Amino acid sequence: MNFKPALQGALLTVVTLFGGMLFGVVAGNLVFDALPGHSIANPSSLHVLLAALPAITGILAGSASWGIAMGRLAGEENRVRMAVAGILGFVPVAMIMAVLLLRIETAVVETQTNTIPLHRLFTLLFVPTAFLIAGASAGVIGLGLKDRPLARRLVLAAGLSAAAAFLVINLGMEAAGWVVGAPRAAERFTMLVVMFAGDFGAALAGGAAMGWLLFRHKQRV
């Protein structure tokens, strides 16, 4: 069995999509920290805008590069169409889910009425989120390749692989002591660490599933 396409899909997804997201977040935080008079508790609109620019730029560049890379695996030469597919597949759904999760987290913290432990709530929210983001992103890549049956297969394969990887990493880190919401968890940024580790695993698994399916698509055409 040829594992090279899966390996290529995994590595390309981590380097471009996950890498662009990570670079954007880190760059945005660095810009925000460098701004005079910045305040985490009460940030000004200008500070938020200036910090958001490099973050958005990194995400857009990463998703466009990812779309082009996935297109190459499938033998697609139209770089512009695949770059657009990469952006449209990842950015909107990722932004929507980020806002939605932030609102849910805020509501839970403010009400303090949740009967589910925070680390279980984290799992229940983020595993389906990994499926939605990976599945939607992969599906639009299939549409960019003008192959609807392939798009449906990519949604299921990438979505399920990413969700499974996020769940395994989340539970593994929990067993190792990285429990979201545990005492003093905020001191070592447990939620962020677990989230980014899960995202990394989801990118690897989802990218591997995509690489294999895109390789088979290239063979057929």
Side-chain angles (χ1 to χ4, degrees):
M1 185 175 180
N2 185 6
F3 292 100
K4 184 178 179 180
L7 181 60
Q8 287 179 322
L11 292 178
L12 287 171
T13 300
V14 167
V15 171
T16 57
L17 198 58
F18 179 82
M21 180 183 68
L22 182 61
F23 172 83
V25 171
V26 171
N29 284 330
L30 290 175
V31 169
F32 183 80
D33 290 340
L35 292 172
H38 71 276
S39 170
I40 297 178
N42 187 27
S44 69
S45 299
L46 178 60
H47 286 168
V48 172
L49 176 61
L50 292 175
L53 288 176
I56 294 174
T57 299
I59 293 172
L60 288 174
S63 56
S65 299
W66 176 70
I68 294 171
M70 294 301 102
R72 285 178 177 172
L73 290 180
E76 175 58 57
E77 297 181 357
N78 192 321
R79 294 164 58 91
V80 174
R81 187 171 74 242
M82 296 313 300
V84 172
I87 292 173
L88 293 181
F90 178 75
V91 177
V93 67
M95 293 296 184
I96 291 171
M97 294 308 300
V99 172
L100 182 60
L101 290 173
L102 180 61
R103 290 187 176 182
I104 293 174
E105 179 190 357
T106 302
V108 169
V109 171
E110 288 179 351
T111 58
Q112 295 292 326
T113 59
N114 58 302
T115 58
I116 303 176
L118 187 56
H119 64 286
R120 287 289 168 260
L121 183 62
F122 176 88
T123 302
L124 290 173
L125 291 175
F126 276 83
V127 172
T129 296
F131 174 85
L132 290 173
I133 294 176
S137 302
V140 177
I141 291 296
L143 295 178
L145 294 169
K146 300 181 180 181
D147 190 329
R148 290 183 179 274
L150 173 64
R152 289 192 290 269
R153 292 193 296 271
L154 286 170
V155 169
L156 290 176
L160 291 174
S161 298
F166 195 104
L167 177 62
V168 169
I169 290 175
N170 178 25
L171 296 179
M173 295 191 70
E174 181 181 311
W178 291 84
V179 181
V180 176
R184 306 187 69 179
E187 296 180 7
R188 55 178 182 170
F189 305 101
T190 298
M191 181 177 289
L192 285 176
V193 172
V194 175
M195 182 184 70
F196 274 105
D199 288 343
F200 180 82
L204 278 175
M210 288 189 67
W212 175 247
L213 286 177
L214 293 174
F215 171 73
R216 295 182 62 185
H217 169 81
K218 183 178 180 180
Q219 287 185 316
R220 289 197 303 270
V221 298

PDB file of all heavy atoms in Angstrom, residues 1 14 40 48 54 70 79 86 88 93 97 101 108 111-112 118 149 157-159 179 181 188 193-194 219:
ATOM      1  N   MET A   1       0.849  -1.204   0.000  1.00  0.00           N
ATOM      2  CA  MET A   1       0.000   0.000   0.000  1.00  0.00           C
ATOM      3  C   MET A   1       0.883   1.252   0.000  1.00  0.00           C
ATOM      4  O   MET A   1       1.842   1.349   0.766  1.00  0.00           O
ATOM      5  CB  MET A   1      -0.918   0.006   1.227  1.00  0.00           C
ATOM      6  CG  MET A   1      -1.912   1.152   1.246  1.00  0.00           C
ATOM      7  SD  MET A   1      -3.046   1.012   2.652  1.00  0.00           S
ATOM      8  CE  MET A   1      -4.043   2.476   2.378  1.00  0.00           C
ATOM      9  N   VAL A  14      -0.457  20.482   7.591  1.00  0.00           N
ATOM     10  CA  VAL A  14       0.141  21.040   8.813  1.00  0.00           C
ATOM     11  C   VAL A  14       0.952  22.292   8.489  1.00  0.00           C
ATOM     12  O   VAL A  14       0.848  23.313   9.181  1.00  0.00           O
ATOM     13  CB  VAL A  14       1.023  19.976   9.503  1.00  0.00           C
ATOM     14  CG1 VAL A  14       1.900  20.620  10.570  1.00  0.00           C
ATOM     15  CG2 VAL A  14       0.152  18.904  10.138  1.00  0.00           C
ATOM     16  N   ILE A  40      -5.637  43.963  27.976  1.00  0.00           N
ATOM     17  CA  ILE A  40      -6.379  42.736  27.707  1.00  0.00           C
ATOM     18  C   ILE A  40      -7.778  42.825  28.285  1.00  0.00           C
ATOM     19  O   ILE A  40      -8.751  42.347  27.691  1.00  0.00           O
ATOM     20  CB  ILE A  40      -5.618  41.519  28.292  1.00  0.00           C
ATOM     21  CG1 ILE A  40      -4.263  41.364  27.591  1.00  0.00           C
ATOM     22  CG2 ILE A  40      -6.451  40.245  28.140  1.00  0.00           C
ATOM     23  CD1 ILE A  40      -3.432  40.228  28.124  1.00  0.00           C
ATOM     24  N   VAL A  48      -7.525  46.160  18.742  1.00  0.00           N
ATOM     25  CA  VAL A  48      -8.058  44.884  18.249  1.00  0.00           C
ATOM     26  C   VAL A  48      -7.900  44.789  16.734  1.00  0.00           C
ATOM     27  O   VAL A  48      -7.501  43.751  16.194  1.00  0.00           O
ATOM     28  CB  VAL A  48      -9.541  44.738  18.639  1.00  0.00           C
ATOM     29  CG1 VAL A  48     -10.156  43.511  17.969  1.00  0.00           C
ATOM     30  CG2 VAL A  48      -9.681  44.635  20.157  1.00  0.00           C
ATOM     31  N   PRO A  54      -2.582  41.046  11.119  1.00  0.00           N
ATOM     32  CA  PRO A  54      -1.631  39.965  10.827  1.00  0.00           C
ATOM     33  C   PRO A  54      -2.236  38.584  11.059  1.00  0.00           C
ATOM     34  O   PRO A  54      -1.873  37.629  10.365  1.00  0.00           O
ATOM     35  CB  PRO A  54      -0.475  40.231  11.805  1.00  0.00           C
ATOM     36  CG  PRO A  54      -1.070  41.054  12.888  1.00  0.00           C
ATOM     37  CD  PRO A  54      -2.113  41.896  12.235  1.00  0.00           C
ATOM     38  N   MET A  70      -3.357  21.137  -2.104  1.00  0.00           N
ATOM     39  CA  MET A  70      -4.281  20.024  -2.294  1.00  0.00           C
ATOM     40  C   MET A  70      -4.618  19.856  -3.774  1.00  0.00           C
ATOM     41  O   MET A  70      -4.799  18.739  -4.260  1.00  0.00           O
ATOM     42  CB  MET A  70      -5.558  20.261  -1.491  1.00  0.00           C
ATOM     43  CG  MET A  70      -5.374  20.251   0.031  1.00  0.00           C
ATOM     44  SD  MET A  70      -4.711  18.695   0.696  1.00  0.00           S
ATOM     45  CE  MET A  70      -2.983  19.149   0.981  1.00  0.00           C
ATOM     46  N   ARG A  79      -4.374  27.202 -10.168  1.00  0.00           N
ATOM     47  CA  ARG A  79      -3.962  27.609  -8.825  1.00  0.00           C
ATOM     48  C   ARG A  79      -4.927  28.624  -8.214  1.00  0.00           C
ATOM     49  O   ARG A  79      -5.194  28.576  -7.010  1.00  0.00           O
ATOM     50  CB  ARG A  79      -2.550  28.213  -8.887  1.00  0.00           C
ATOM     51  CG  ARG A  79      -1.481  27.212  -9.274  1.00  0.00           C
ATOM     52  CD  ARG A  79      -0.197  27.913  -9.713  1.00  0.00           C
ATOM     53  NE  ARG A  79       0.341  28.779  -8.696  1.00  0.00           N
ATOM     54  CZ  ARG A  79       1.230  28.428  -7.772  1.00  0.00           C
ATOM     55  NH1 ARG A  79       1.689  27.185  -7.762  1.00  0.00           N
ATOM     56  NH2 ARG A  79       1.678  29.282  -6.883  1.00  0.00           N
ATOM     57  N   GLY A  86      -9.578  26.937  -1.093  1.00  0.00           N
ATOM     58  CA  GLY A  86      -8.958  26.789   0.220  1.00  0.00           C
ATOM     59  C   GLY A  86      -9.429  27.845   1.196  1.00  0.00           C
ATOM     60  O   GLY A  86      -9.723  27.556   2.364  1.00  0.00           O
ATOM     61  N   LEU A  88     -12.283  29.794   0.947  1.00  0.00           N
ATOM     62  CA  LEU A  88     -13.718  29.703   1.196  1.00  0.00           C
ATOM     63  C   LEU A  88     -14.085  28.470   2.012  1.00  0.00           C
ATOM     64  O   LEU A  88     -15.065  28.471   2.754  1.00  0.00           O
ATOM     65  CB  LEU A  88     -14.478  29.688  -0.136  1.00  0.00           C
ATOM     66  CG  LEU A  88     -14.420  30.965  -0.969  1.00  0.00           C
ATOM     67  CD1 LEU A  88     -15.230  30.811  -2.241  1.00  0.00           C
ATOM     68  CD2 LEU A  88     -14.921  32.160  -0.160  1.00  0.00           C
ATOM     69  N   VAL A  93     -16.061  29.040   7.907  1.00  0.00           N
ATOM     70  CA  VAL A  93     -16.543  28.117   8.935  1.00  0.00           C
ATOM     71  C   VAL A  93     -15.685  28.189  10.189  1.00  0.00           C
ATOM     72  O   VAL A  93     -16.189  28.092  11.314  1.00  0.00           O
ATOM     73  CB  VAL A  93     -16.606  26.671   8.383  1.00  0.00           C
ATOM     74  CG1 VAL A  93     -15.221  26.120   8.092  1.00  0.00           C
ATOM     75  CG2 VAL A  93     -17.336  25.759   9.354  1.00  0.00           C
ATOM     76  N   MET A  97     -17.292  29.245  13.804  1.00  0.00           N
ATOM     77  CA  MET A  97     -17.174  28.343  14.948  1.00  0.00           C
ATOM     78  C   MET A  97     -16.395  28.984  16.086  1.00  0.00           C
ATOM     79  O   MET A  97     -16.701  28.758  17.261  1.00  0.00           O
ATOM     80  CB  MET A  97     -16.506  27.035  14.522  1.00  0.00           C
ATOM     81  CG  MET A  97     -17.329  26.199  13.542  1.00  0.00           C
ATOM     82  SD  MET A  97     -19.028  25.901  14.096  1.00  0.00           S
ATOM     83  CE  MET A  97     -18.757  25.032  15.646  1.00  0.00           C
ATOM     84  N   LEU A 101     -18.084  29.341  19.689  1.00  0.00           N
ATOM     85  CA  LEU A 101     -17.475  28.726  20.862  1.00  0.00           C
ATOM     86  C   LEU A 101     -17.154  29.764  21.933  1.00  0.00           C
ATOM     87  O   LEU A 101     -17.299  29.492  23.130  1.00  0.00           O
ATOM     88  CB  LEU A 101     -16.207  27.967  20.459  1.00  0.00           C
ATOM     89  CG  LEU A 101     -16.429  26.693  19.646  1.00  0.00           C
ATOM     90  CD1 LEU A 101     -15.095  26.139  19.162  1.00  0.00           C
ATOM     91  CD2 LEU A 101     -17.163  25.644  20.462  1.00  0.00           C
ATOM     92  N   VAL A 108     -21.231  30.148  29.705  1.00  0.00           N
ATOM     93  CA  VAL A 108     -21.026  29.146  30.752  1.00  0.00           C
ATOM     94  C   VAL A 108     -20.319  29.757  31.956  1.00  0.00           C
ATOM     95  O   VAL A 108     -20.694  29.525  33.112  1.00  0.00           O
ATOM     96  CB  VAL A 108     -20.212  27.955  30.199  1.00  0.00           C
ATOM     97  CG1 VAL A 108     -19.754  27.045  31.331  1.00  0.00           C
ATOM     98  CG2 VAL A 108     -21.047  27.174  29.200  1.00  0.00           C
ATOM     99  N   THR A 111     -22.778  32.331  33.815  1.00  0.00           N
ATOM    100  CA  THR A 111     -23.930  31.770  34.526  1.00  0.00           C
ATOM    101  C   THR A 111     -23.523  30.850  35.664  1.00  0.00           C
ATOM    102  O   THR A 111     -24.192  30.783  36.695  1.00  0.00           O
ATOM    103  CB  THR A 111     -24.830  30.997  33.558  1.00  0.00           C
ATOM    104  OG1 THR A 111     -24.067  29.952  32.922  1.00  0.00           O
ATOM    105  CG2 THR A 111     -25.382  31.920  32.484  1.00  0.00           C
ATOM    106  N   GLN A 112     -22.418  30.108  35.444  1.00  0.00           N
ATOM    107  CA  GLN A 112     -21.945  29.157  36.450  1.00  0.00           C
ATOM    108  C   GLN A 112     -23.024  28.139  36.821  1.00  0.00           C
ATOM    109  O   GLN A 112     -23.089  27.665  37.952  1.00  0.00           O
ATOM    110  CB  GLN A 112     -21.480  29.909  37.728  1.00  0.00           C
ATOM    111  CG  GLN A 112     -20.271  30.790  37.533  1.00  0.00           C
ATOM    112  CD  GLN A 112     -19.002  30.009  37.250  1.00  0.00           C
ATOM    113  OE1 GLN A 112     -18.826  28.912  37.770  1.00  0.00           O
ATOM    114  NE2 GLN A 112     -18.135  30.554  36.431  1.00  0.00           N
ATOM    115  N   LEU A 118     -16.064  21.236  33.042  1.00  0.00           N
ATOM    116  CA  LEU A 118     -15.561  22.053  31.946  1.00  0.00           C
ATOM    117  C   LEU A 118     -14.764  21.233  30.937  1.00  0.00           C
ATOM    118  O   LEU A 118     -14.875  21.461  29.728  1.00  0.00           O
ATOM    119  CB  LEU A 118     -14.702  23.193  32.499  1.00  0.00           C
ATOM    120  CG  LEU A 118     -14.240  24.244  31.484  1.00  0.00           C
ATOM    121  CD1 LEU A 118     -15.433  24.858  30.763  1.00  0.00           C
ATOM    122  CD2 LEU A 118     -13.411  25.320  32.165  1.00  0.00           C
ATOM    123  N   PRO A 149     -19.125  14.049  -6.146  1.00  0.00           N
ATOM    124  CA  PRO A 149     -18.958  12.798  -5.385  1.00  0.00           C
ATOM    125  C   PRO A 149     -17.673  12.793  -4.555  1.00  0.00           C
ATOM    126  O   PRO A 149     -17.661  12.323  -3.410  1.00  0.00           O
ATOM    127  CB  PRO A 149     -18.930  11.721  -6.479  1.00  0.00           C
ATOM    128  CG  PRO A 149     -19.712  12.319  -7.600  1.00  0.00           C
ATOM    129  CD  PRO A 149     -19.358  13.782  -7.587  1.00  0.00           C
ATOM    130  N   ALA A 157     -14.454  11.666   5.075  1.00  0.00           N
ATOM    131  CA  ALA A 157     -13.131  11.131   5.414  1.00  0.00           C
ATOM    132  C   ALA A 157     -12.317  12.119   6.242  1.00  0.00           C
ATOM    133  O   ALA A 157     -11.772  11.767   7.301  1.00  0.00           O
ATOM    134  CB  ALA A 157     -12.378  10.759   4.138  1.00  0.00           C
ATOM    135  N   ALA A 158     -12.229  13.364   5.773  1.00  0.00           N
ATOM    136  CA  ALA A 158     -11.439  14.359   6.500  1.00  0.00           C
ATOM    137  C   ALA A 158     -12.106  14.731   7.812  1.00  0.00           C
ATOM    138  O   ALA A 158     -11.437  14.874   8.848  1.00  0.00           O
ATOM    139  CB  ALA A 158     -11.241  15.601   5.633  1.00  0.00           C
ATOM    140  N   GLY A 159     -13.422  14.897   7.794  1.00  0.00           N
ATOM    141  CA  GLY A 159     -14.133  15.285   9.011  1.00  0.00           C
ATOM    142  C   GLY A 159     -14.016  14.248  10.111  1.00  0.00           C
ATOM    143  O   GLY A 159     -13.687  14.567  11.258  1.00  0.00           O
ATOM    144  N   VAL A 179      -5.784  18.900  32.139  1.00  0.00           N
ATOM    145  CA  VAL A 179      -7.241  18.868  32.245  1.00  0.00           C
ATOM    146  C   VAL A 179      -7.776  20.293  32.180  1.00  0.00           C
ATOM    147  O   VAL A 179      -7.459  21.130  33.033  1.00  0.00           O
ATOM    148  CB  VAL A 179      -7.689  18.196  33.562  1.00  0.00           C
ATOM    149  CG1 VAL A 179      -9.217  18.153  33.638  1.00  0.00           C
ATOM    150  CG2 VAL A 179      -7.104  16.792  33.655  1.00  0.00           C
ATOM    151  N   GLY A 181      -9.903  23.347  32.820  1.00  0.00           N
ATOM    152  CA  GLY A 181     -10.744  23.747  33.935  1.00  0.00           C
ATOM    153  C   GLY A 181     -10.291  23.230  35.284  1.00  0.00           C
ATOM    154  O   GLY A 181     -10.929  23.526  36.304  1.00  0.00           O
ATOM    155  N   ARG A 188      -0.916  27.582  33.173  1.00  0.00           N
ATOM    156  CA  ARG A 188      -0.104  27.033  32.077  1.00  0.00           C
ATOM    157  C   ARG A 188      -0.900  26.965  30.778  1.00  0.00           C
ATOM    158  O   ARG A 188      -0.563  26.189  29.885  1.00  0.00           O
ATOM    159  CB  ARG A 188       0.440  25.646  32.445  1.00  0.00           C
ATOM    160  CG  ARG A 188      -0.583  24.608  32.862  1.00  0.00           C
ATOM    161  CD  ARG A 188       0.123  23.292  33.131  1.00  0.00           C
ATOM    162  NE  ARG A 188      -0.798  22.227  33.501  1.00  0.00           N
ATOM    163  CZ  ARG A 188      -0.445  20.948  33.590  1.00  0.00           C
ATOM    164  NH1 ARG A 188       0.803  20.594  33.356  1.00  0.00           N
ATOM    165  NH2 ARG A 188      -1.325  20.024  33.928  1.00  0.00           N
ATOM    166  N   VAL A 193      -3.259  25.073  25.052  1.00  0.00           N
ATOM    167  CA  VAL A 193      -2.310  24.008  24.717  1.00  0.00           C
ATOM    168  C   VAL A 193      -3.044  22.788  24.181  1.00  0.00           C
ATOM    169  O   VAL A 193      -2.675  22.212  23.144  1.00  0.00           O
ATOM    170  CB  VAL A 193      -1.463  23.630  25.949  1.00  0.00           C
ATOM    171  CG1 VAL A 193      -0.620  22.387  25.657  1.00  0.00           C
ATOM    172  CG2 VAL A 193      -0.552  24.783  26.350  1.00  0.00           C
ATOM    173  N   VAL A 194      -4.101  22.380  24.876  1.00  0.00           N
ATOM    174  CA  VAL A 194      -4.872  21.211  24.439  1.00  0.00           C
ATOM    175  C   VAL A 194      -5.546  21.488  23.101  1.00  0.00           C
ATOM    176  O   VAL A 194      -5.577  20.621  22.216  1.00  0.00           O
ATOM    177  CB  VAL A 194      -5.919  20.831  25.505  1.00  0.00           C
ATOM    178  CG1 VAL A 194      -6.811  19.702  24.997  1.00  0.00           C
ATOM    179  CG2 VAL A 194      -5.244  20.412  26.805  1.00  0.00           C
ATOM    180  N   GLN A 219      -5.483   9.561 -10.121  1.00  0.00           N
ATOM    181  CA  GLN A 219      -5.300   8.345 -10.913  1.00  0.00           C
ATOM    182  C   GLN A 219      -6.476   8.106 -11.855  1.00  0.00           C
ATOM    183  O   GLN A 219      -6.296   7.613 -12.966  1.00  0.00           O
ATOM    184  CB  GLN A 219      -5.112   7.133  -9.987  1.00  0.00           C
ATOM    185  CG  GLN A 219      -3.765   7.076  -9.287  1.00  0.00           C
ATOM    186  CD  GLN A 219      -3.599   5.814  -8.492  1.00  0.00           C
ATOM    187  OE1 GLN A 219      -4.513   5.398  -7.783  1.00  0.00           O
ATOM    188  NE2 GLN A 219      -2.436   5.195  -8.591  1.00  0.00           N
TER     189      GLN A 219
END
